[in-house]
Amino acid sequence: MPRSEGLTVKNLRVTTAGKEILSGVDLSVPAGEVHALMGPNGSGKSTLAHTLMGHPAYTITSGSIHFAGQDITHLRADQRARLGIFLSFQYPVAVPGVTVVNFLRAAMRSQGKELPAREFMKALTAEMEKLKIDPAFRSRYLNDGFSGGEKKRCEILQMAMLKPRLAILDETDSGLDVDALRIVADGVSQLRNPDMGVLVITHYYRILEQLQPDYVHILHAGKIVASGEAELARTIEKSGYEPILGPEAASPEALPV
Ligand SMILES: Nc1ncnc2c1ncn2[C@@H]1O[C@H](COP(=O)(O)OP(=O)(O)OP(=O)(O)O)[C@@H](O)[C@H]1O
Ligand SMILES: [Mg+2]
């Protein structure tokens, strides 16, 4: 698969609220590969995720984003979603009044992936079973009163139904108990295919152990400062960021809890 089929980010600079958060990010996630993005709190991981999705609060001041052979730097979020980019939020928002079923139907319709009602319900029931989500959640309002882990599983349910070509998972593993983590990791693994790239943002080695990323990148102060194989994540798990970033990264605030 040529690299142009995946995601290519070049020298991306991004500001929000008048402050530069990303200061020249270079990153490629070819279709079919799983890449992990790690880095201390506040290093810009979620900012990168939101920028890739086209969130209007983040202004690209230079650089480019190419996806599936197209320059998407200036596309709106809905246009990017239609191209198959999916973001699982670090903090999924509640949408009272919109049920999980209706949300998913609308999301699929907006991406031209609508299924006949019966087929849709069959697919939804099957995916919910795989993710061990109680069928009663179909008629609950999206994320409204969901526990942290239920929200994260519901994000993976959306991904399973939408079948994106680039899945960005922003700390989908945070707050999951060990069983839920395995279910989510298995869910993502089952969806892996040669046409889909995955960018997993995480603080922990645990999920990477199960997902076996092709590459791990470290974001620090708005730049990718190191890239390597899965071993890099293990080093961080064992020794923190100091060996990679130097002593200033070892302050308690800079390290994941
Ligand atoms: N909308 C915003 N307004 C103001 N500041 C912002 C905004 N979004 C991000 N920032 C700032 O940008 C920096 C990077 O934040 P970001 O959420 O991208 O970090 P992160 O790497 O995802 O951290 P964490 O590991 O804690 O999730 C932080 O200092 C944050 O306060
Ligand atoms: Mg974040």
Side-chain angles (χ1 to χ4, degrees), residues 143-218:
N143 292 324
D144 193 25
F146 287 19
S147 77
E150 288 164 353
K151 285 182 187 170
K152 299 289 170 120
R153 265 193 253 193
C154 189
E155 295 281 299
I156 299 302
L157 175 65
Q158 290 166 39
M159 173 181 161
M161 293 299 288
L162 289 166
K163 302 202 173 9
R165 292 164 74 191
L166 174 67
I168 305 162
L169 308 179
D170 192 358
E171 294 200 28
T172 305
D173 55 333
S174 294
L176 293 181
D177 66 44
V178 277
D179 294 329
L181 181 73
R182 192 166 8 84
I183 292 164
V184 162
D186 285 351
V188 176
S189 297
Q190 281 168 23
L191 290 167
R192 274 189 83 159
N193 70 75
D195 295 325
M196 180 177 74
V198 183
L199 182 63
V200 188
I201 298 172
T202 185
H203 285 297
Y204 305 107
Y205 182 63
R206 285 180 312 182
I207 191 164
L208 301 181
E209 213 168 20
Q210 299 185 45
L211 287 182
Q212 308 246 326
D214 297 282
Y215 288 98
V216 176
H217 310 277
I218 312 301

XYZ file of all heavy atoms in Angstrom, residues 143-218:
598
model
N -24.012 8.666 25.900
C -23.067 9.014 26.975
C -23.714 9.660 28.204
O -23.011 10.031 29.140
C -21.956 9.949 26.459
C -21.041 9.233 25.493
O -20.775 8.047 25.666
N -20.569 9.935 24.483
N -25.031 9.813 28.203
C -25.705 10.493 29.300
C -25.783 9.553 30.513
O -26.487 8.540 30.469
C -27.110 10.903 28.844
C -27.751 11.888 29.808
O -27.012 12.596 30.516
O -28.992 11.940 29.859
N -25.028 9.864 31.539
C -24.986 9.016 32.727
C -24.166 7.751 32.530
O -24.149 6.892 33.404
N -23.473 7.614 31.408
C -22.614 6.437 31.205
C -21.418 6.553 32.155
O -20.908 7.659 32.398
C -22.041 6.390 29.785
C -23.016 6.031 28.682
C -24.386 6.141 28.853
C -22.546 5.575 27.458
C -25.273 5.822 27.828
C -23.415 5.249 26.432
C -24.778 5.370 26.608
N -20.950 5.408 32.636
C -19.711 5.427 33.419
C -18.558 5.708 32.458
O -18.732 5.611 31.228
C -19.493 4.077 34.108
O -19.016 3.124 33.170
N -17.379 6.028 33.013
C -16.217 6.324 32.158
C -15.933 5.190 31.177
O -15.753 5.400 29.981
N -15.934 3.952 31.701
C -15.640 2.784 30.861
C -16.722 2.549 29.820
O -16.435 2.140 28.690
N -17.990 2.795 30.198
C -19.095 2.617 29.234
C -18.967 3.604 28.082
O -19.218 3.271 26.922
C -20.444 2.788 29.952
C -20.781 1.621 30.874
C -21.896 1.916 31.877
O -22.349 3.090 31.976
O -22.290 0.979 32.589
N -18.540 4.830 28.398
C -18.346 5.832 27.334
C -17.278 5.366 26.355
O -17.427 5.495 25.143
C -17.904 7.175 27.939
C -19.010 7.935 28.627
C -18.479 9.262 29.143
C -19.519 9.955 29.991
N -19.008 11.112 30.713
N -16.177 4.838 26.895
C -15.067 4.426 26.037
C -15.492 3.249 25.147
O -15.150 3.192 23.971
C -13.845 4.043 26.879
C -13.310 5.187 27.739
C -12.637 6.251 26.904
C -12.324 7.502 27.682
N -10.936 7.869 27.755
N -16.250 2.317 25.727
C -16.714 1.180 24.930
C -17.668 1.642 23.842
O -17.688 1.115 22.739
C -17.427 0.172 25.823
C -16.483 -0.898 26.270
C -17.233 -2.019 26.872
N -17.032 -1.985 28.308
C -17.369 -2.992 29.093
N -17.944 -4.061 28.602
N -17.133 -2.915 30.371
N -18.467 2.663 24.185
C -19.417 3.193 23.203
C -18.668 3.877 22.053
O -19.118 3.842 20.903
C -20.366 4.152 23.916
S -21.723 4.659 22.872
N -17.506 4.472 22.352
C -16.687 5.068 21.287
C -16.219 3.976 20.317
O -16.210 4.173 19.107
C -15.462 5.770 21.889
C -15.788 6.972 22.761
C -16.094 8.217 21.936
O -15.222 8.664 21.180
O -17.228 8.717 22.059
N -15.811 2.835 20.885
C -15.340 1.737 20.016
C -16.511 1.149 19.225
O -16.355 0.724 18.078
C -14.599 0.651 20.847
C -13.370 1.262 21.518
C -14.189 -0.537 19.981
C -12.362 1.893 20.556
N -17.701 1.178 19.835
C -18.899 0.729 19.115
C -19.120 1.616 17.884
O -19.408 1.124 16.787
C -20.120 0.793 20.051
C -21.471 0.460 19.418
C -21.516 -1.001 18.965
C -22.621 0.734 20.400
N -18.969 2.918 18.064
C -19.118 3.847 16.923
C -18.100 3.518 15.842
O -18.402 3.486 14.653
C -18.928 5.295 17.385
C -20.059 5.807 18.259
C -19.674 7.107 18.954
O -19.018 7.961 18.385
N -20.071 7.251 20.199
N -16.875 3.257 16.278
C -15.816 2.935 15.317
C -16.161 1.637 14.571
O -16.000 1.547 13.355
C -14.504 2.783 16.085
C -13.367 2.286 15.252
S -11.900 2.124 16.285
C -10.947 1.034 15.251
N -16.653 0.650 15.327
C -16.990 -0.638 14.706
C -18.093 -0.464 13.668
O -18.078 -1.111 12.620
C -17.426 -1.631 15.781
N -19.047 0.411 13.936
C -20.153 0.605 12.992
C -19.712 1.450 11.797
O -20.127 1.208 10.672
C -21.340 1.281 13.700
C -22.002 0.412 14.758
S -22.701 -1.122 14.085
C -24.121 -0.513 13.188
N -18.875 2.453 12.045
C -18.506 3.383 10.967
C -17.372 2.859 10.078
O -17.182 3.333 8.968
C -18.116 4.750 11.552
C -19.298 5.549 12.114
C -18.807 6.709 12.963
C -20.182 6.081 10.992
N -16.628 1.905 10.593
C -15.517 1.304 9.849
C -14.661 2.357 9.135
O -14.628 2.445 7.900
C -16.042 0.286 8.837
C -16.858 -0.808 9.499
C -16.944 -2.052 8.689
C -17.616 -3.213 9.396
N -18.280 -3.002 10.650
N -13.960 3.186 9.938
C -13.171 4.277 9.352
C -11.927 3.779 8.615
O -11.539 2.616 8.748
C -12.762 5.095 10.574
C -12.765 4.126 11.701
C -13.837 3.125 11.400
N -11.301 4.704 7.886
C -10.028 4.381 7.219
C -8.867 4.909 8.042
O -7.721 4.565 7.808
C -10.008 4.979 5.817
C -11.021 4.288 4.930
C -11.279 5.098 3.699
N -10.173 5.025 2.752
C -10.073 5.830 1.688
N -10.949 6.772 1.470
N -9.066 5.695 0.869
N -9.160 5.806 8.961
C -8.152 6.241 9.937
C -8.866 6.397 11.274
O -9.794 7.197 11.394
C -7.531 7.584 9.538
C -6.571 8.172 10.579
C -5.314 7.318 10.722
C -6.185 9.610 10.230
N -8.462 5.602 12.245
C -9.071 5.696 13.575
C -8.068 6.315 14.528
O -6.944 5.823 14.666
C -9.472 4.309 14.060
N -8.466 7.423 15.151
C -7.609 8.075 16.141
C -8.269 7.822 17.494
O -9.405 8.244 17.724
C -7.513 9.587 15.870
C -7.035 9.843 14.427
C -6.579 10.260 16.878
C -7.323 11.253 13.931
N -7.568 7.110 18.352
C -8.151 6.754 19.646
C -7.428 7.537 20.732
O -6.281 7.234 21.065
C -8.011 5.246 19.890
C -8.528 4.326 18.772
C -8.318 2.868 19.134
C -10.010 4.595 18.498
N -8.084 8.582 21.238
C -7.431 9.444 22.229
C -7.702 8.932 23.644
O -8.772 9.158 24.212
C -7.933 10.890 22.070
C -7.071 11.883 22.863
O -6.131 11.437 23.559
O -7.344 13.094 22.778
N -6.734 8.228 24.184
C -6.818 7.666 25.532
C -8.077 6.850 25.752
O -8.707 6.934 26.811
C -6.701 8.780 26.584
C -5.324 9.422 26.554
C -4.984 10.157 27.833
O -5.493 9.776 28.895
O -4.206 11.112 27.747
N -8.415 6.053 24.749
C -9.583 5.176 24.884
C -9.373 4.174 26.012
O -10.335 3.661 26.580
C -9.825 4.450 23.538
O -9.939 5.448 22.535
C -11.092 3.624 23.551
N -8.114 3.903 26.349
C -7.829 2.908 27.390
C -7.855 3.484 28.799
O -7.941 2.730 29.771
C -6.468 2.251 27.130
C -5.333 3.264 27.007
O -5.606 4.421 26.612
O -4.181 2.909 27.306
N -7.815 4.822 28.928
C -7.768 5.401 30.282
C -9.091 5.153 30.997
O -10.159 5.366 30.432
C -7.511 6.905 30.215
O -6.223 7.132 29.706
N -9.004 4.691 32.222
C -10.209 4.485 33.022
C -10.913 3.166 32.777
O -11.991 2.934 33.319
N -10.312 2.306 31.958
C -10.949 0.998 31.737
C -10.425 -0.014 32.752
O -9.229 -0.028 33.055
C -10.629 0.477 30.328
C -11.217 1.231 29.134
C -10.795 0.547 27.834
C -12.732 1.299 29.223
N -11.318 -0.896 33.233
C -10.825 -1.973 34.085
C -10.156 -3.027 33.191
O -10.253 -2.951 31.961
C -11.952 -2.555 34.957
C -13.035 -3.262 34.156
O -12.688 -4.028 33.231
O -14.230 -3.049 34.448
N -9.477 -3.991 33.778
C -8.675 -4.925 32.967
C -9.502 -5.684 31.932
O -9.060 -5.886 30.799
C -7.892 -5.958 33.824
C -6.607 -5.360 34.325
C -8.726 -6.515 34.944
N -10.728 -6.082 32.335
C -11.566 -6.825 31.383
C -12.007 -5.929 30.235
O -11.958 -6.323 29.069
C -12.794 -7.413 32.083
C -12.388 -8.481 33.087
O -11.362 -9.144 32.845
O -13.087 -8.637 34.106
N -12.430 -4.704 30.571
C -12.886 -3.766 29.541
C -11.740 -3.435 28.599
O -11.929 -3.324 27.387
C -13.441 -2.503 30.177
N -10.539 -3.318 29.159
C -9.373 -2.995 28.326
C -9.148 -4.097 27.287
O -8.901 -3.816 26.119
C -8.128 -2.850 29.204
C -6.873 -2.490 28.429
C -6.904 -1.050 27.973
C -5.625 -2.733 29.265
N -9.284 -5.340 27.743
C -9.094 -6.470 26.817
C -10.183 -6.464 25.741
O -9.913 -6.658 24.554
C -9.065 -7.799 27.573
C -8.587 -8.918 26.684
C -8.205 -10.209 27.405
N -8.520 -10.269 28.812
C -9.706 -10.616 29.313
N -10.701 -10.906 28.509
N -9.889 -10.660 30.612
N -11.426 -6.190 26.166
C -12.546 -6.166 25.207
C -12.320 -5.077 24.157
O -12.484 -5.287 22.959
C -13.886 -5.950 25.955
C -14.208 -7.182 26.805
C -15.024 -5.651 24.979
C -15.268 -6.943 27.859
N -11.904 -3.896 24.628
C -11.665 -2.773 23.706
C -10.489 -3.088 22.774
O -10.567 -2.896 21.560
C -11.431 -1.470 24.507
C -10.766 -0.409 23.656
C -12.766 -0.947 25.047
N -9.404 -3.620 23.349
C -8.228 -3.939 22.524
C -8.577 -5.018 21.501
O -8.195 -4.919 20.328
C -7.072 -4.390 23.412
N -9.346 -6.025 21.932
C -9.776 -7.074 20.986
C -10.652 -6.475 19.898
O -10.524 -6.820 18.725
C -10.584 -8.174 21.700
C -9.689 -9.089 22.517
O -8.449 -8.969 22.392
O -10.221 -9.890 23.305
N -11.547 -5.558 20.321
C -12.446 -4.907 19.358
C -11.641 -4.179 18.291
O -11.907 -4.305 17.095
N -10.625 -3.428 18.715
C -9.794 -2.685 17.757
C -9.010 -3.673 16.888
O -8.939 -3.520 15.669
C -8.837 -1.710 18.481
C -7.912 -1.016 17.492
C -9.636 -0.681 19.283
N -8.454 -4.712 17.514
C -7.665 -5.696 16.752
C -8.507 -6.352 15.670
O -8.045 -6.553 14.546
C -7.122 -6.783 17.672
O -6.245 -6.201 18.589
N -9.766 -6.672 16.007
C -10.637 -7.332 15.024
C -10.939 -6.410 13.843
O -11.212 -6.869 12.746
C -11.953 -7.751 15.671
C -11.821 -9.023 16.489
C -13.040 -9.269 17.358
O -14.127 -8.770 17.077
N -12.856 -10.021 18.426
N -10.917 -5.108 14.107
C -11.242 -4.159 13.032
C -10.035 -3.842 12.152
O -10.162 -3.242 11.100
C -11.773 -2.856 13.626
C -13.162 -2.965 14.263
C -13.453 -1.730 15.093
C -14.221 -3.149 13.195
N -8.845 -4.257 12.630
C -7.631 -3.972 11.850
C -7.755 -4.558 10.464
O -8.201 -5.694 10.304
C -6.409 -4.609 12.527
C -5.794 -3.752 13.575
C -4.485 -4.343 14.044
N -3.382 -3.974 13.156
C -2.113 -4.006 13.516
N -1.776 -4.390 14.730
N -1.164 -3.657 12.686
N -7.388 -3.781 9.473
C -7.397 -4.301 8.109
C -6.420 -3.472 7.269
O -6.017 -2.380 7.682
C -8.825 -4.304 7.541
C -9.326 -2.902 7.291
O -8.910 -2.255 6.324
N -10.202 -2.395 8.154
N -6.045 -3.994 6.095
C -4.995 -3.331 5.307
C -5.365 -1.937 4.821
O -4.501 -1.181 4.388
C -4.798 -4.269 4.108
C -5.443 -5.551 4.477
C -6.493 -5.251 5.479
N -6.661 -1.578 4.901
C -7.083 -0.255 4.419
C -7.194 0.768 5.540
O -7.512 1.927 5.288
C -8.457 -0.357 3.727
C -8.371 -1.209 2.485
O -7.322 -1.148 1.806
O -9.333 -1.950 2.216
N -7.025 0.338 6.786
C -7.244 1.262 7.907
C -5.947 1.527 8.678
O -5.234 0.592 9.042
C -8.290 0.690 8.871
C -8.562 1.619 10.049
S -9.842 1.040 11.177
C -9.007 -0.270 12.047
N -5.671 2.802 8.912
C -4.574 3.160 9.793
C -5.148 3.461 11.176
O -6.300 3.884 11.301
N -4.365 3.216 12.212
C -4.829 3.486 13.580
C -3.759 4.303 14.307
O -2.574 3.966 14.253
C -5.097 2.174 14.366
C -5.636 2.476 15.755
C -6.057 1.255 13.618
N -4.194 5.387 14.945
C -3.296 6.179 15.786
C -3.844 6.108 17.210
O -4.928 6.611 17.497
C -3.262 7.637 15.302
C -2.317 8.581 16.051
C -0.857 8.142 15.906
C -2.471 10.019 15.548
N -3.097 5.411 18.072
C -3.547 5.207 19.448
C -2.792 6.148 20.367
O -1.571 6.040 20.497
C -3.225 3.765 19.926
C -3.856 3.489 21.279
C -3.650 2.742 18.911
N -3.503 7.074 20.988
C -2.873 7.972 21.959
C -3.046 7.333 23.327
O -4.172 7.001 23.723
C -3.547 9.359 21.912
C -3.365 9.982 20.521
C -2.969 10.259 23.014
C -4.147 11.263 20.300
N -1.948 7.129 24.005
C -2.060 6.465 25.301
C -0.907 6.849 26.228
O 0.145 7.300 25.768
C -2.095 4.924 25.132
O -2.316 4.328 26.416
C -0.795 4.369 24.550
N -1.141 6.643 27.525
C -0.063 6.823 28.498
C 0.504 5.480 28.949
O 1.460 5.434 29.696
C -0.592 7.547 29.738
C -0.824 9.011 29.505
N 0.199 9.865 29.183
C -1.941 9.759 29.535
C -0.283 11.092 29.043
N -1.585 11.042 29.238
N -0.155 4.385 28.505
C 0.176 3.091 29.094
C 0.625 2.046 28.083
O 0.138 2.006 26.952
C -1.038 2.548 29.848
C -1.537 3.518 30.871
C -2.716 4.216 30.654
C -0.798 3.767 32.023
C -3.173 5.129 31.588
C -1.244 4.682 32.961
C -2.432 5.362 32.731
O -2.865 6.270 33.640
N 1.531 1.202 28.544
C 2.055 0.118 27.720
C 1.010 -0.995 27.547
O 0.979 -1.668 26.526
C 3.324 -0.430 28.389
C 3.974 -1.525 27.598
C 4.488 -1.266 26.326
C 4.073 -2.814 28.104
C 5.083 -2.267 25.581
C 4.668 -3.822 27.368
C 5.168 -3.538 26.111
O 5.748 -4.532 25.373
N 0.136 -1.135 28.577
C -0.826 -2.251 28.598
C -1.571 -2.445 27.280
O -1.605 -3.530 26.720
C -1.891 -2.016 29.686
C -1.424 -2.250 31.080
C -2.568 -1.991 32.035
N -3.249 -0.712 31.728
C -4.261 -0.218 32.419
N -4.727 -0.882 33.455
N -4.810 0.922 32.106
N -2.196 -1.371 26.783
C -3.006 -1.526 25.561
C -2.097 -1.798 24.348
O -2.473 -2.524 23.435
C -3.937 -0.316 25.309
C -4.943 -0.679 24.185
C -3.169 0.966 24.967
C -6.143 0.224 24.065
N -0.880 -1.260 24.410
C 0.040 -1.452 23.278
C 0.523 -2.898 23.224
O 0.769 -3.453 22.155
C 1.215 -0.481 23.381
C 0.810 0.992 23.388
C 2.034 1.884 23.461
C -0.019 1.341 22.151
N 0.627 -3.507 24.418
C 1.018 -4.904 24.491
C 0.010 -5.743 23.691
O 0.371 -6.683 23.011
C 0.969 -5.327 25.957
C 1.984 -6.327 26.345
C 2.030 -6.434 27.861
O 1.065 -6.039 28.557
O 3.026 -6.919 28.347
N -1.265 -5.337 23.791
C -2.304 -6.100 23.092
C -2.450 -5.672 21.638
O -2.766 -6.485 20.784
C -3.629 -5.941 23.829
C -3.515 -6.481 25.242
C -4.831 -6.467 25.987
O -5.855 -6.852 25.469
N -4.794 -6.012 27.213
N -2.210 -4.399 21.353
C -2.426 -3.920 19.977
C -1.185 -4.059 19.090
O -1.288 -3.971 17.874
C -2.865 -2.453 19.971
C -4.282 -2.170 20.437
C -4.575 -0.682 20.333
C -5.298 -2.950 19.614
N -0.023 -4.250 19.733
C 1.215 -4.430 18.976
C 1.410 -3.366 17.886
O 1.315 -3.682 16.691
C 1.192 -5.811 18.317
C 0.896 -6.911 19.276
C 2.069 -7.842 19.466
O 2.836 -8.091 18.555
N 2.232 -8.339 20.663
N 1.663 -2.133 18.284
C 1.816 -1.082 17.279
C 3.066 -1.299 16.417
O 4.053 -1.871 16.870
C 1.981 0.183 18.127
C 2.511 -0.297 19.428
C 1.923 -1.665 19.654
N 2.980 -0.810 15.179
C 4.141 -0.894 14.287
C 5.192 0.122 14.709
O 6.381 -0.130 14.612
C 3.693 -0.624 12.844
C 2.707 -1.676 12.368
O 3.182 -2.772 12.039
O 1.488 -1.422 12.364
N 4.712 1.309 15.149
C 5.629 2.356 15.596
C 5.067 3.095 16.791
O 3.843 3.181 16.957
C 5.889 3.381 14.470
C 6.754 2.814 13.389
C 6.175 2.319 12.227
C 8.135 2.745 13.538
C 6.963 1.764 11.229
C 8.923 2.197 12.546
C 8.335 1.709 11.401
O 9.113 1.153 10.427
N 5.960 3.649 17.573
C 5.583 4.480 18.717
C 6.261 5.836 18.534
O 7.449 5.891 18.193
C 6.068 3.833 20.041
C 5.777 4.730 21.237
C 5.437 2.458 20.237
N 5.505 6.918 18.716
C 6.057 8.265 18.595
C 5.880 8.985 19.926
O 4.857 8.825 20.583
C 5.327 9.073 17.510
C 5.212 8.330 16.210
N 6.234 8.298 15.290
C 4.208 7.573 15.693
C 5.856 7.563 14.252
N 4.637 7.114 14.470
N 6.852 9.811 20.248
C 6.770 10.592 21.485
C 6.629 12.061 21.133
O 7.481 12.632 20.432
C 8.036 10.414 22.364
C 8.403 8.928 22.516
C 7.842 11.083 23.725
C 7.344 8.052 23.127
